[in-house]
C-alpha cells in the first residue's frame, strides 16, 4: 500500500522522544563514566569516544577484582537477589497455579487481589510492612506467638538483640520478596493460563496421575514463564536501594544500588557513580536481552 | 532564607545569591546575640548572614539503660567501641562529615593532639573510616538521624547525636510514661564539632526590607526562645538562653544541661568547613567504604 | 461433598494446599496496607497504637493534617500535576508509536521495537542516574525540576502505552481498516474514524496505567527533583522513614491510593460500556 509511509511518520515522534531522552541519557552515563572530573569536582563528560578515559573505570574494576568493598557489596547483592528469587518462585508459583487452574468461581476476586499491589505505591506497601515489624507491632507479636521468631533465631537468621528491623539480611530479603513478588505472580499466571488444557487432558487420558501430569506436562511448559518472570523481578531487585534503606539502617546489608546512590546522587564523585552504573548495566544486559528475546518470540507466536 | 551552614556559604557568595545585610534594620543582632557570633570568622562583620541556631556533635544516651558515666570517661568517644553489651541499640549520625569526624576526635584525645576536622590527609581519613567499620562488628551499629525519636522510645540506647536532637526529644518526642531525666548528653568542651545554621537574604529578594525585618524578628529574644521551645529544639545563640536558666524553668532536666551550647564551647570547638577537592573525594570514599559494610 | 469436608479428609492433597497458600499470600500482601490505611484514622499520634477513630489527620487537625500542612499538600498537588502531564503527553505519543510500529514492515522495525522495550527492562536506578546526568550535563538549561521529572516519567511510561495499544491492534486485526479503505476512505479518515474509536478502550486503559505509574513512581522522580517544591508523595513517604511521621503520612498515602483506585475504577466502568458496544460490532463485523 502506498499509504505505508503514513504509518512510519506516526512512529517518528515516539522514536524521537525515546532517542532523545533514553538513548542520549544512556550515552551521557557512558561519557561521564569514561570522562574526567574538573577542578570543582564536577563530572566532565568526554563525548568523543576517541577521547574516552578509562582511568576511573580501571580504578573501579581493579577495586572489584582486588577484593575491595565494591566486590563485597556486589556479591552480597547477588546473594540477596538469588535467595529472594527462589523464595518468590516458591511462594508465587503455587499462587499463580491456583489462580490459573483451580480457582473456579473465585478466579475474578483472586485476580483482583493479585493485581491490587500494582496499584499501591511500593513505598506505602513497604512502610506498612515495616510498621508491622517494628517492636510492639502486630506483625512482631504474631511472629513471636507463632514461634516463627524462635525458629529464625535458631537458624541464625535473626539476632536476639531486638527485632526484625535490626539490620538483618533475612529481613531485607523478605522485604525484597514482599515488594517484588506481585511482579512475578502476574506474568506467571498469564503463562500458566496459556497452557493448553488439552495437553494435560491428553496426559491424563494416557494414564498419568494428576501429579505426574503436572510434573511432566505443566511444569515443563511453564518453565519459559518462570524464567521470564524471575528475570523481570531480578532486574529491578539488582538496582534496588530504597528497600534496604527503609528496612535496615545498617551498613551490613547495603546493596550495590546503595553504593550507586551514594556516589551518583548524594556524593561529590558522580563519575564513580556513573562507572558503577555502567558496570551494573553491563552485568544485567545479559538478563535484559534474554527477557527481550523471549517476549519477542512469545509475541510473534501469538500474532500468528 | 533559613538554613545554611558556614561551609556552604562560600559557594553561595560566589554564585552571587546572597544579599549584603543592612545592619540598621537589625538592632537585635547587637542586643541579643553572642558577641563572638556577631563577627564570626566565616563572615566578618556579619555582612551576609546572622546566626540562626547553633549545636554541637556529642553523645546522647539513656542513663536508665546504660549505667556508665560517659561524661566522666577519659575519652568519652571510646564508649562506642566498648558498646558490645548494647548491640543493636547503638547509632551513628548519618552524615559523612559528622560521622567521620568522630573517630578523628577520639584519636586526637587519646594521643593528646589537636585534630583538624577539616583535614585532607589521606591516612587520617582512611583510618577514621576503618575505625567506624569496626563498629559494625562490635555493636551492629545503625546509621540514622532519627535519634530524637529512637532515644526517647528506647529503640536506641546510645547515639552519636546533635545536641538539638536531645532537646527535641525531651520537648516533643517523649512517649507517655517516660521521664525526661532518663536522657543524657555529653559534648566536648574543645576540639569537637560545632555548627550553626544561618539566616540570610536572597540577592534577588523582592521585599528586602521585609526580609530584614523578619531576620530581626527571629533575633528577638522572645521569638528565638519560642522558636526553640515550640518548633525545633535547637538553641539560638542568644545571651539569655543558657543551661542553668532553662533548668530553673523546669524546661530541661539536669542531665541535659550540657546540650545547651555555651559561648566558650562554641569558641573552642571546630566548625565543619568546605574541603578541598581531593579532600572531599577522600572523605566520600571512606564513607562509602564504611557504608558498604 | 462440601469443599470444607473434602479438605478435612485430605488436607495434604495437592489441590487443597493451593487455596491455603493463596489465602495466606493474599493476607500477607494486603493486610499490612489495610492496617496502614486504618491508622490514618487514628485519634492518637502513634502509627502503631490505636487510640480511637478520628479524621484529624485528614483535615481537622489545625497544623498537622494533610489539609493544613503545606508540605503535605504541596506534595500531593505536585504529584497530581506530574501525573496529569505524563498522561497528556505519554498517551498520544505512545498511541502514535504503537500504530507506527505495528504497521512498519521492513528495515528498522526490529531495532525500534527493541528501543521501545528497553525502558521496560532497565532498572530504575540506571534510568535515574542516566536522566540525572542528561539534565545536568546536556540539557542543563532545563535542569532538574518539574520539567525534568515529567520528561523522565513520560520516557518510561511510553513503553507501557505502546505494549497495551499494540496488543489491542493485533486483536482487532486489519479487517476494519481494509473495509474502510475499500469503501474509499483516505488513510487519515481510516485512522480517525475507524482505528481510534476501536482502540479507545486500550487508549483509556493505558492512560490509566500511565497515571498510576506516575503517581507511584519514586526513583526517577527523586533523582530529577530540584528543590523542596518538587517533592512528591512518594518522596515524602521515603523521607519519612528517617523522620518522625505522624499518621498524617498514612492519611496522605491513603488519599493518594484513593485517587489511583478511583481513577482505575472510573476507567474500568467506562471501558465496560465501550467494550460492551464494540463486542457487538465485533461479533457482527468479523463474520464478514
Amino acid at each position: 500500500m502506498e499509504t505505508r509511509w503514513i504509518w512510519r511518520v506516526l512512529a517518528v515522534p515516539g522514536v524521537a522522544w525515546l532517542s532523545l531522552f533514553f538513548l542520549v541519557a544512556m550515552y551521557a552515563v557512558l561519557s561521564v563514566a569514561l570522562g574526567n572530573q574538573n577542578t570543582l569536582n564536577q563530572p566532565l563528560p568526554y563525548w568523543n569516544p576517541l577521547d574516552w578515559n578509562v582511568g576511573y573505570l580501571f580504578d573501579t574494576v581493579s577495586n572489584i577484582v582486588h577484593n575491595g568493598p565494591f566486590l563485597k557489596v556486589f556479591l552480597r547483592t547477588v546473594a540477596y537477589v538469588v535467595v529472594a528469587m527462589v523464595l518468590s518462585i516458591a511462594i508465587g508459583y503455587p499462587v499463580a497455579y491456583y489462580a490459573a487452574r483451580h480457582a473456579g468461581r473465585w478466579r475474578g476476586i483472586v485476580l483482583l487481589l493479585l493485581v491490587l499491589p500494582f496499584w499501591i505505591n511500593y513505598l506505602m506497601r513497604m512502610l506498612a510492612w515495616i510498621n508491622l515489624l517494628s517492636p510492639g507491632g502486630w506483625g512482631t507479636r504474631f511472629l513471636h506467638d507463632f514461634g516463627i521468631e524462635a525458629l529464625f533465631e535458631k537458624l541464625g537468621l535473626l539476632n536476639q538483640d531486638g527485632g526484625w528491623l535490626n539490620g538483618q539480611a533475612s529481613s531485607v530479603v523478605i522485604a525484597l520478596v514482599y515488594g517484588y513478588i506481585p511482579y512475578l505472580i502476574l506474568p506467571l499466571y498469564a503463562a500458566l493460563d496459556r497452557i493448553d488444557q488439552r495437553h494435560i487432558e491428553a496426559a491424563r487420558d494416557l494414564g498419568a496421575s494428576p501429579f505426574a501430569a503436572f510434573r511432566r506436562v505443566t511444569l515443563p511448559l511453564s518453565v519459559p514463564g518462570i524464567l521470564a518472570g524471575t528475570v523481570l523481578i531480578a532486574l529491578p531487585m539488582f538496582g534496588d536501594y530504597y528497600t534496604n534503606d527503609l528496612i535496615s539502617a545498617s551498613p551490613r546489608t547495603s546493596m550495590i544500588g546503595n553504593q550507586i546512590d551514594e556516589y551518583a546522587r548524594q556524593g561529590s564523585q558522580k563519575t564513580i557513580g556513573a562507572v558503577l552504573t555502567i558496570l551494573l548495566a553491563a552485568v544485567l544486559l545479559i538478563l535484559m536481552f534474554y527477557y527481550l528475546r523471549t517476549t519477542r518470540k512469545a509475541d510473534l507466536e501469538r500474532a500468528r | 532564607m533559613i538554613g545554611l551552614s558556614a561551609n556552604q556559604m562560600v559557594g553561595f557568595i560566589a554564585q552571587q545569591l546572597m544579599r549584603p545585610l543592612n545592619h540598621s534594620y537589625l538592632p537585635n543582632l547587637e542586643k541579643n546575640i553572642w558577641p563572638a557570633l556577631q563577627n564570626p570568622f566565616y563572615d566578618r562583620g556579619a555582612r551576609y548572614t546572622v546566626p540562626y541556631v547553633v549545636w554541637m556533635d556529642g553523645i546522647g544516651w539513656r542513663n536508665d539503660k546504660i549505667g556508665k558515666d560517659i561524661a566522666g570517661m577519659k575519652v568519652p568517644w571510646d564508649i562506642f567501641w566498648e558498646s558490645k553489651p548494647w548491640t543493636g541499640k547503638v547509632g551513628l549520625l548519618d552524615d559523612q562529615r559528622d560521622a567521620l569526624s568522630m573517630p578523628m576526635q577520639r584519636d586526637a584525645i587519646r594521643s593528646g593532639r589537636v585534630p583538624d576536622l577539616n583535614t585532607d590527609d589521606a591516612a587520617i581519613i582512611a583510618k577514621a573510616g576503618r575505625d567506624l567499620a569496626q563498629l559494625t562488628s562490635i555493636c551492629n551499629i545503625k546509621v540514622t538521624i532519627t535519634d530524637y525519636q529512637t532515644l526517647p522510645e528506647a529503640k536506641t540506647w546510645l547515639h552519636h547525636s546533635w545536641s538539638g536532637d536531645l532537646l527535641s526529644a525531651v520537648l516533643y518526642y517523649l512517649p507517655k510514661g517516660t521521664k525526661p531525666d532518663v536522657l543524657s548528653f555529653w559534648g566536648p568542651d574543645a576540639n569537637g564539632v560545632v555548627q550553626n545554621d544561618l539566616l540570610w537574604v536572597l540577592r534577588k529578594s523582592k521585599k528586602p526590607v521585609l526580609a530584614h525585618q523578619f531576620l530581626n524578628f527571629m533575633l528577638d529574644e522572645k521569638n528565638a526562645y519560642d522558636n526553640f521551645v515550640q518548633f525545633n529544639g535547637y538553641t539560638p545563640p542568644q545571651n539569655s538562653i543558657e543551661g542553668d536558666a532553662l533548668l530553673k524553668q523546669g524546661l530541661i532536666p539536669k542531665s541535659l544541661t550540657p546540650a545547651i551550647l555555651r559561648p566558650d564551647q562554641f569558641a573552642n570547638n571546630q566548625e565543619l568547613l568546605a574541603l578541598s577537592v581531593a579532600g572531599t573525594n577522600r572523605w566520600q570514599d571512606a564513607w562509602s567504604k564504611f557504608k558498604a559494610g | 461433598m462440601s469443599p470444607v469436608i473434602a479438605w478435612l479428609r485430605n488436607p495434604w492433597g495437592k489441590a487443597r494446599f493451593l487455596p491455603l497458600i493463596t489465602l495466606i499470600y493474599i493476607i500477607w500482601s494486603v493486610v499490612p496496607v489495610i492496617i496502614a490505611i486504618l491508622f490514618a484514622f487514628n485519634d492518637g499520634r502513634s502509627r502503631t497504637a490505636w487510640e480511637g477513630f478520628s479524621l484529624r489527620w485528614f483535615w481537622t487537625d489545625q497544623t498537622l493534617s494533610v489539609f493544613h500542612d503545606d508540605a503535605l499538600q504541596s506534595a500531593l498537588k505536585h504529584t497530581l500535576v506530574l501525573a496529569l502531564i505524563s498522561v497528556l503527553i505519554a498517551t498520544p505519543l505512545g498511541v502514535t508509536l504503537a500504530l507506527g510500529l505495528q504497521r512498519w514492515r521492513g528495515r528498522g522495525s526490529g531495532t525500534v521495537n527493541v528501543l521501545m522495550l528497553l525502558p521496560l527492562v532497565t532498572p530504575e536506578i540506571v534510568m535515574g542516574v542516566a536522566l540525572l546526568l542528561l539534565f545536568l550535563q546536556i540539557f542543563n538549561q532545563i535542569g532538574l525540576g518539574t520539567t525534568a521529572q515529567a520528561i523522565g516519567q513520560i520516557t518510561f511510561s511510553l513503553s507501557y502505552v505502546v505494549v497495551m495499544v499494540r496488543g489491542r491492534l493485533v486483536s482487532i486485526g486489519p479487517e476494519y481498516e481494509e473495509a474502510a479503505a475499500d469503501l474509499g476512505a483516505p488513510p487519515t479518515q481510516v485512522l480517525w474514524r475507524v482505528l481510534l474509536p476501536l482502540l479507545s478502550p486500550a487508549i483509556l486503559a493505558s492512560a490509566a496505567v500511565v497515571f498510576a505509574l506516575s503517581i507511584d513512581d519514586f526513583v526517577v522522580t527523586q533523582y530529577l527533583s530540584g528543590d523542596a517544591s518538587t517533592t512528591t508523595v512518594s518522596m515524602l513517604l521515603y523521607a519519612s522513614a528517617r523522620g518522625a511521621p505522624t499518621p498524617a503520612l498514612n492519611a496522605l498515602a491513603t488519599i493518594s491510593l484513593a485517587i489511583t483506585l478511583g481513577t482505575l475504577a472510573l476507567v474500568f466502568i467506562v471501558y465496560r460500556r465501550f467494550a460492551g458496544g464494540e463486542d457487538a460490532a465485533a461479533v457482527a463485523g468479523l463474520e464478514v
Side-chain angles (χ1 to χ4, degrees):
Chain A
M1 290 207 300
E2 64 282 356
T3 53
R4 201 167 294 162
W5 63 270
I6 289 190
W7 302 118
R8 290 208 199 183
V9 161
L10 275 181
V12 165
V15 174
W17 183 284
L18 283 175
S19 307
L20 201 56
F21 296 117
F22 183 77
L23 287 181
V24 174
M26 293 300 164
Y27 191 72
V29 183
L30 265 181
S31 300
V32 167
L34 297 168
N36 215 329
Q37 293 207 164
N38 65 11
T39 46
L40 289 176
N41 234 357
Q42 289 167 346
L44 211 57
Y46 285 169
W47 301 112
N48 188 345
L50 297 174
D51 287 336
W52 275 350
N53 159 32
V54 290
Y56 286 96
L57 178 63
F58 188 72
D59 282 344
T60 311
V61 170
S62 75
N63 179 308
I64 295 178
V65 164
H66 291 127
N67 218 354
F70 289 146
L71 180 68
K72 185 165 41 156
V73 174
F74 186 71
L75 290 178
R76 190 191 299 144
T77 311
V78 172
Y80 287 3
V81 172
V82 167
V83 175
M85 268 175 20
V86 169
L87 282 176
S88 301
I89 298 176
I91 302 176
Y93 193 91
V95 174
Y97 189 82
Y98 173 75
R101 315 204 76 86
H102 281 274
R105 60 204 160 116
W106 295 112
R107 178 187 267 225
I109 195 169
V110 166
L111 218 48
L112 182 69
L113 291 170
L114 289 180
V115 169
L116 199 57
F118 276 87
W119 309 123
I120 307 178
N121 195 320
Y122 181 98
L123 292 172
M124 183 183 185
R125 285 196 298 133
M126 197 52 61
L127 285 176
W129 175 238
I130 290 174
N131 221 16
L132 285 189
L133 286 183
S134 54
W138 295 358
T140 317
R141 271 183 272 159
F142 177 87
L143 290 169
H144 179 82
D145 293 341
F146 277 76
I148 302 187
E149 187 177 312
L151 175 66
F152 268 62
E153 278 177 14
K154 244 195 246 165
L155 290 173
L157 292 171
L158 178 67
N159 294 336
Q160 273 114 340
D161 57 0
W164 293 91
L165 298 177
N166 237 354
Q168 340 276 356
S170 52
S171 307
V172 177
V173 171
I174 293 178
L176 284 173
V177 173
Y178 184 74
Y180 288 102
I181 200 174
Y183 301 92
L184 171 70
I185 291 185
L186 275 182
L188 207 48
Y189 160 83
L192 284 169
D193 191 39
R194 242 179 275 145
I195 294 178
D196 201 330
Q197 181 69 11
R198 290 174 294 181
H199 292 309
I200 305 180
E201 285 170 14
R204 296 299 306 279
D205 285 344
L206 289 170
S209 72
F211 185 64
F214 168 75
R215 196 166 57 86
R216 306 188 67 175
V217 177
T218 317
L219 194 54
L221 282 177
S222 60
V223 163
I226 300 180
L227 289 180
T230 50
V231 166
L232 198 59
I233 58 170
L235 286 168
M237 264 199 228
F238 265 106
D240 184 291
Y241 64 95
Y242 36 90
T243 307
N244 175 56
D245 268 347
L246 291 175
I247 285 268
S248 153
S250 167
R252 278 211 301 221
T253 55
S254 69
M255 298 171 69
I256 192 78
N258 292 101
Q259 289 285 301
I260 295 182
D261 189 54
E262 191 71 49
Y263 276 104
R265 185 172 63 89
Q266 300 191 42
S268 59
Q269 298 181 81
K270 294 202 176 12
T271 311
I272 302 210
V275 169
L276 286 174
T277 307
I278 60 172
L279 285 175
L280 180 68
V283 168
L284 296 182
L285 219 55
I286 312 165
L287 287 179
M288 273 161 63
F289 275 107
Y290 172 80
Y291 181 76
L292 288 179
R293 260 194 55 207
T294 41
T295 40
R296 280 203 71 198
K297 269 202 278 181
D299 273 344
L300 289 170
E301 277 177 31
R302 253 178 295 153
R304 257 191 258 131
Chain B
M1 298 279 288
I2 300 183
L4 176 70
S5 39
N7 61 343
Q8 296 168 314
M9 220 182 89
V10 176
F12 277 46
I13 293 185
Q15 294 175 56
Q16 301 222 321
L17 288 173
M18 301 176 75
R19 172 187 280 270
L21 296 175
N22 182 340
H23 283 247
S24 59
Y25 285 107
L26 301 172
N28 279 333
L29 178 63
E30 234 184 84
K31 217 167 43 130
N32 298 332
I33 298 295
W34 294 349
L37 278 178
Q38 293 182 32
N39 187 10
F41 67 93
Y42 55 80
D43 185 14
R44 286 268 167 237
R47 279 169 51 216
Y48 289 96
T49 63
V50 295
Y52 176 46
V53 290
V54 295
W55 70 88
M56 72 166 112
D57 288 7
I59 307 180
W61 73 93
R62 291 286 300 240
N63 50 43
D64 55 337
K65 307 278 186 198
I66 297 186
K68 220 167 151 82
D69 175 22
I70 298 181
M73 285 170 69
K74 184 162 172 298
V75 186
W77 299 114
D78 273 340
I79 189 76
F80 286 102
W81 280 264
E82 295 166 15
S83 60
K84 207 169 171 64
W86 313 299
T87 297
K89 301 276 195 223
V90 186
L92 185 69
L93 278 175
D94 188 9
D95 181 299
Q96 205 180 72
R97 296 293 305 274
D98 295 281
L100 280 171
S101 73
M102 194 263 279
M104 287 182 191
Q105 294 174 48
R106 170 181 177 240
D107 261 357
I109 302 181
R110 284 167 132 202
S111 56
R113 301 181 281 108
V114 173
D116 174 15
L117 300 175
N118 297 301
T119 182
D120 277 10
D121 185 314
I124 296 184
I125 299 171
K127 176 158 197 304
R130 285 196 302 272
D131 287 345
L132 284 184
Q134 292 173 342
L135 293 177
T136 312
S137 35
I138 293 178
C139 60
N140 191 7
I141 197 156
K142 298 279 167 310
V143 186
T144 78
I145 51 170
T146 49
D147 48 322
Y148 54 84
Q149 200 184 10
T150 53
L151 276 173
E153 291 181 8
K155 289 190 185 140
T156 50
W157 293 347
L158 176 69
H159 212 291
H160 180 212
S161 298
W162 290 311
S163 56
D165 283 348
L166 273 291
L167 298 169
S168 309
V170 92
L171 290 172
Y172 321 118
Y173 294 104
L174 276 180
K176 283 200 197 72
T178 309
K179 312 187 68 196
D181 50 15
V182 302
L183 293 169
S184 293
F185 180 80
W186 167 84
D189 280 338
N191 295 320
V193 175
V194 286
Q195 299 177 67
N196 57 344
D197 266 354
L198 310 165
L199 291 166
W200 51 287
V201 180
L202 272 174
R203 190 173 277 265
K204 294 203 195 124
S205 166
K206 295 201 183 83
K207 297 203 172 134
V209 175
L210 189 58
H212 278 79
Q213 287 176 338
F214 174 71
L215 259 53
N216 199 41
F217 175 83
M218 294 303 288
L219 291 172
D220 170 77
E221 204 177 287
K222 178 165 184 324
N223 296 325
Y225 179 82
D226 284 342
N227 193 35
F228 157 49
V229 170
Q230 292 180 21
F231 287 99
N232 63 18
Y234 275 69
T235 44
Q238 295 262 338
N239 291 325
S240 59
I241 295 184
E242 52 98 32
D244 286 333
L246 294 175
L247 179 61
K248 281 209 195 69
Q249 291 170 28
L251 201 60
I252 57 174
K254 189 156 191 344
S255 50
L256 286 185
T257 42
I260 308 284
L261 201 53
R262 303 187 311 268
D264 64 277
Q265 277 178 315
F266 192 81
N268 294 328
N269 279 310
Q270 301 187 16
E271 284 242 29
L272 292 176
L273 301 173
L275 300 166
S276 69
V277 165
T280 313
N281 292 344
R282 291 194 190 118
W283 281 70
Q284 154 117 75
D285 280 337
W287 180 242
S288 293
K289 212 163 156 184
F290 162 63
K291 284 270 229 157
Chain C
M1 166 158 55
S2 113
V4 179
I5 301 196
W7 183 81
L8 286 173
R9 279 198 188 193
N10 183 12
W12 299 116
K14 187 169 75 71
R16 304 289 172 243
F17 83 86
L18 283 180
L20 188 64
I21 290 194
T22 309
L23 187 65
I24 296 180
Y25 166 72
I26 289 182
I27 292 179
W28 181 43
S29 178
V30 170
V31 164
V33 176
I34 295 184
I35 294 181
I37 296 178
L38 215 65
F39 272 90
F41 297 95
N42 190 15
D43 197 29
R45 214 191 152 107
S46 160
R47 295 164 76 226
T48 44
W50 181 257
E51 289 175 42
F53 183 90
S54 147
L55 287 175
R56 69 183 279 206
W57 303 109
F58 285 89
W59 54 75
T60 51
D61 189 305
Q62 289 304 313
T63 43
L64 295 171
S65 65
V66 178
F67 195 66
H68 287 104
D69 184 330
D70 282 334
L72 298 179
Q73 259 198 19
S74 103
L76 192 58
K77 282 196 196 116
H78 187 68
T79 309
L80 291 175
V81 163
L82 273 182
L84 232 51
I85 299 178
S86 290
V87 171
L88 289 175
I89 300 187
T91 316
L93 212 54
V95 170
T96 51
L97 185 55
L99 286 170
L101 257 184
Q102 184 61 16
R103 266 42 176 188
W104 186 334
R105 312 251 172 268
R107 282 175 298 147
S109 73
T111 329
V112 174
N113 201 37
V114 169
L115 173 63
M116 183 274 298
L117 287 176
L118 274 179
L120 280 179
V121 292
T122 312
E124 279 213 86
I125 194 172
V126 175
M127 284 278 279
V129 173
L131 287 165
L132 175 71
L133 292 176
L134 182 72
F135 285 104
L136 282 183
Q137 300 297 325
I138 305 184
F139 295 132
N140 39 12
Q141 304 95 327
I142 305 182
L144 303 179
T146 311
T147 318
Q149 286 175 317
I151 292 179
Q153 289 184 350
I154 294 168
T155 307
F156 70 73
S157 307
L158 209 51
S159 316
Y160 288 86
V161 178
V162 173
V163 168
M164 290 178 75
V165 170
R166 222 174 35 164
R168 179 105 184 113
L169 265 178
V170 166
S171 67
I172 290 178
E175 292 88 8
Y176 292 98
E177 292 171 67
E178 288 172 1
D182 285 345
L183 290 171
T188 43
Q189 288 239 347
V190 171
L191 180 63
W192 195 247
R193 302 190 68 179
V194 177
L195 270 186
L196 285 184
L198 279 176
L199 285 174
S200 50
I203 298 181
L204 202 58
S206 60
V209 167
V210 172
F211 187 73
L213 282 175
S214 167
I215 289 192
D216 291 340
D217 181 61
F218 172 63
V219 178
V220 169
T221 315
Q222 183 190 44
Y223 265 73
L224 297 177
S225 157
D227 54 32
S229 71
T230 50
T231 310
T232 60
V233 171
S234 301
M235 291 167 65
L236 266 189
L237 289 178
Y238 179 76
S240 82
R242 330 191 103 230
T246 61
L249 205 74
N250 295 46
L252 185 67
T254 307
I255 294 176
S256 173
L257 181 62
I259 294 177
T260 308
L261 291 181
T263 313
L264 286 172
L266 202 66
V267 166
F268 183 68
I269 295 175
V270 172
Y271 182 103
R272 288 298 277 303
R273 297 184 81 223
F274 265 105
E278 104 29 53
D279 270 341
V283 167
L286 279 178
E287 318 293 50
V288 172

